[in-house]
Amino acid sequence: MAEVSAHQLNELRALISGPVFARGDDGLTAEVAAYNVLVEHRPDLVVGAASEADVAAAIHFATSHSLPLAILSTGHGSYVNVTEGLIITTSRLTGEVAIDTEARTATVLAGHRVGDVVSAAAKHGLAPVVGSSTTVSAIGYILGGGIGPLARTYGMSSDWVRSFRVVTAQGDIIPTDATNDPDLFWALRGGKGGFGVVTSMELELVPLESLYGGSMFFDPEHVGPVFTAWLDWTAAVPETLTSSAAIVRFPPLDFIPAPLRGKTVLQLRVAYVGDSADGERLLAPLRGTAPALIDAVGEMAAADIGTIHGDPTDPIPLWEGSVQQLLTHADAGFAAALLGAVGPEVNVPIVAAEVRHIGAATRRDVPEGSAAGGRGSDYSILLAGVPDPSLFKTVLPQIMAGVTTQLKPWLSESRLINFQALPASEAARNSWPGDIRARLAHVRSAYDPRGVF
């Protein structure tokens, strides 16, 4: 790697309107702080991009000085320390989320989080098709395809992108959509990274002011019967209803609601796009299976969709070995195997085992095609380890290997790219079929021939 002199560093600072940090500068650590508190990025340089031009200038500088280059937005998705080169942070690329009510679109910038888009759209009776967490980067999430609480009804989140603006490895700023640079547009809708820095996107919204949704929690003794009933129930629900069932181990801490504190419970997450009376009727069989500890499912504003899953918002330690995988099928045998592996009677350091009911609209690609993976299944599973770093090296890997062995007859070889902490080549093999992988490689070589990203 080439050395950067004080004179060259001053030249960079003169080109950039945002802050520039060198190793050892005050503020560098805070600038590159990750959601995963175990990650400590320590690059040679950080450019806090305040404009699209800053991104282009930083790329030019990195390539001309042979500096490895990384991009950081909200800090989600960080599992490996960056210890050299240049990081471009895009969290300052925000401002107002512009809503075009006539076209029913939102202009989303690189620093916007999902929650920013949800809030802006809700003021106009509209909603973006996004994920369960409101704190992640909207663009970063959508580049990976994205399967959220409305997935069965509206499909992959990336299906709703109408255009991107991208800064390429050459520092060129280009717009791309279905007719302009269509190969790049195809790749960015689900192909994740390695094509350039996306500085903004135009996202189509859906007319949605309210829905029937929320969460229900069931006591340990009812986890098995309710999970089994839920799995049977999913076979007949309409595609206007998306749900998931999670076996969650709550710690005995004061901030946990008293009915859940220190218990292993089943959490049902529900989002029904339709009349509340119909939603109540659809949910009646599950309500009749067992009494709920907490029943918070009802008519809710679309602006509150981020509360359905209750994803954590504050930074926490994350174990990179969590499993997010598609299922080939989910039957009574699967229910028995999952409960036997991670149910309330089993002492395992797995904080959450969530099965999502997907399929329906997620199986249908957009007419012009996209790179989004994960369209071939009706269910996915997430297995997340307890966020205790003392377990990360040996205990959790051993436990997770045992659990996945028990579930092997139902696990697909396919995974979802947004949840993977694997090396890029391995993640690619798991996330896309061979023909999509080959086309992604071709597009990447066309727009980043030197492998800058």
Side-chain angles (χ1 to χ4, degrees):
M1 182 183 70
E3 293 292 330
V4 178
S5 68
H7 174 70
Q8 291 167 330
L9 181 57
N10 288 334
E11 285 185 348
L12 175 63
R13 287 185 165 128
L15 292 170
I16 303 296
S17 61
V20 175
F21 304 91
R23 189 193 299 275
D25 285 351
D26 292 340
L28 183 149
T29 299
E31 181 71 16
V32 294
Y35 178 77
N36 183 357
V37 298
L38 299 180
V39 170
E40 296 181 13
H41 296 312
R42 298 181 300 277
D44 298 294
L45 295 170
V46 178
V47 170
S51 67
E52 202 172 54
D54 281 358
V55 175
I59 292 173
H60 273 304
F61 184 87
T63 55
S64 63
H65 293 86
S66 302
L67 292 170
L69 185 62
I71 315 300
L72 187 70
S73 180
T74 62
H76 286 75
S78 291
Y79 291 92
V80 179
N81 297 331
V82 175
T83 58
E84 62 177 352
L86 187 152
I87 290 179
I88 300 173
T89 61
T90 62
S91 58
R92 289 175 181 78
L93 301 180
T94 53
E96 183 181 358
V97 177
I99 304 295
D100 184 331
T101 55
E102 186 174 343
R104 217 173 64 199
T105 58
T107 299
V108 182
L109 305 181
H112 283 139
R113 297 174 185 264
V114 163
D116 299 327
V117 190
V118 171
S119 298
K123 296 174 184 177
H124 305 278
L126 301 169
V129 178
V130 288
S132 58
S133 172
T134 58
T135 63
V136 301
S137 162
I139 286 177
Y141 158 78
I142 281 178
L143 290 177
I147 294 178
L150 303 175
R152 282 177 49 80
T153 308
Y154 295 113
M156 297 278 191
S157 298
S158 57
D159 295 345
W160 293 84
V161 178
R162 296 298 166 255
S163 66
F164 295 101
R165 282 180 66 84
V166 186
V167 184
T168 69
Q170 291 74 37
D172 299 324
I173 300 170
I174 61 173
T176 177
D177 56 30
T179 56
N180 298 299
D181 289 279
D183 283 345
L184 179 60
F185 186 59
W186 171 87
L188 292 172
R189 287 205 285 182
K192 200 58 179 177
F195 307 97
V197 181
V198 177
T199 55
S200 69
M201 67 178 175
E202 184 183 36
L203 184 66
E204 185 177 343
L205 307 171
V206 298
L208 186 66
E209 295 185 21
S210 65
L211 64 151
Y212 187 77
S215 285
M216 300 173 67
F217 296 86
F218 295 87
D219 238 332
E221 65 191 275
H222 301 307
V223 168
V226 177
F227 179 79
T228 303
W230 171 79
L231 201 59
D232 291 340
W233 176 79
T234 59
V237 298
E239 64 180 52
T240 46
L241 199 158
T242 305
S243 65
S244 69
I247 300 171
V248 183
R249 287 174 164 78
F250 285 102
L253 301 175
D254 290 344
F255 69 87
I256 303 295
L260 309 176
R261 199 173 297 155
K263 292 182 178 179
T264 297
V265 303
L266 186 74
Q267 180 186 9
L268 293 185
R269 294 95 172 249
V270 177
Y272 172 65
V273 180
D275 182 77
S276 292
D278 291 336
E280 188 171 347
R281 176 182 54 80
L282 285 165
L283 208 59
L286 295 182
R287 284 195 167 109
T289 303
L293 276 169
I294 298 174
D295 187 340
V297 178
E299 185 168 352
M300 63 186 299
D304 296 328
I305 196 167
T307 65
I308 293 176
H309 283 239
D311 288 357
T313 57
D314 295 329
I316 56 174
L318 294 174
W319 178 56
E320 72 275 13
S322 296
V323 171
Q324 174 73 39
Q325 209 154 339
L326 298 174
L327 300 177
T328 57
H329 62 296
D331 54 15
F334 168 75
L338 182 67
L339 292 164
V342 298
E345 294 80 16
V346 187
N347 184 19
V348 288
I350 293 179
V351 68
E354 181 198 38
V355 179
R356 292 194 183 192
H357 183 212
I358 50 176
T362 67
R363 283 182 170 268
R364 300 190 288 269
D365 201 355
V366 291
E368 62 273 21
S370 72
R375 294 193 187 273
S377 179
D378 292 331
Y379 299 91
S380 69
I381 186 169
L382 167 67
L383 300 170
V386 169
D388 179 352
S390 68
L391 305 177
F392 289 3
K393 187 174 182 180
T394 57
V395 175
L396 278 174
Q398 292 172 359
I399 294 293
M400 198 65 74
V403 171
T404 53
T405 297
Q406 290 175 265
L407 300 178
K408 187 175 181 180
W410 299 273
L411 294 179
S412 167
E413 294 183 358
S414 298
R415 302 181 181 226
L416 299 172
I417 189 64
N418 274 344
F419 294 88
Q420 292 201 57
L422 299 169
S425 59
E426 188 176 347
R429 285 196 302 273
N430 292 331
S431 301
W432 298 284
D435 58 337
I436 291 182
R437 287 203 310 272
R439 187 175 174 185
L440 284 171
H442 175 76
V443 176
R444 190 171 286 112
S445 65
Y447 287 89
D448 184 15
R450 291 183 293 168
V452 171
F453 299 110

